[in-house]
Amino acid sequence: MFLTYLRAKLAAEEDLLGRPALRTTVLRPGGLTDEPGTGQVTLGRSVDRGSIPRDDVAAVLVALLDSGSDDAVLEVVAGPAPVEEAVPAALRRAGPA
């Protein structure tokens, strides 16, 4: 059942990214926790498995919106980098999806 969910999620991402008129950035968080956010993350095209507080996912989403990012697929888990540094660094490394 979980494999079916993952396939559907990937198909939805590919559909969105395939629409050139739609500005899209996909954020794939690790396991979500209810712990308070730390403001520290690991963000990139591919990151090791892990968990992340929902607060930190929200902070990354806001930073991505503020950056005007487009056509990126990023993964995020808790980590050592401040969100305000991790987002621009990840976008530089990621390039187009």
Side-chain angles (χ1 to χ4, degrees), residues 72-94:
V73 177
L74 299 169
E75 297 179 355
V76 64
V77 295
V83 169
E84 61 273 5
E85 295 173 13
V87 168
L91 291 172
R92 281 192 303 273
R93 289 189 309 268

Side-chain angles (χ1 to χ4, degrees), residues 3-94:
L3 185 57
T4 302
Y5 163 77
L6 291 176
R7 286 183 179 146
K9 186 175 168 189
L10 181 60
E13 288 178 11
E14 290 172 347
D15 180 59
L16 288 172
L17 292 168
R19 298 177 186 204
L22 183 63
R23 296 187 60 207
T24 306
T25 295
V26 174
L27 183 63
R28 298 175 179 159
L32 299 173
T33 71
D34 292 326
E35 300 297 318
T38 65
Q40 306 280 113
V41 300
T42 297
L43 181 68
R45 284 196 98 157
S46 179
V47 301
D48 291 336
R49 290 179 61 150
S51 60
I52 184 167
R54 285 175 169 82
D55 292 346
D56 290 334
V57 174
V60 170
L61 287 168
V62 169
L64 287 168
L65 286 169
D66 288 345
S67 76
S69 69
D70 189 21
D71 200 28
V73 177
L74 299 169
E75 297 179 355
V76 64
V77 295
V83 169
E84 61 273 5
E85 295 173 13
V87 168
L91 291 172
R92 281 192 303 273
R93 289 189 309 268

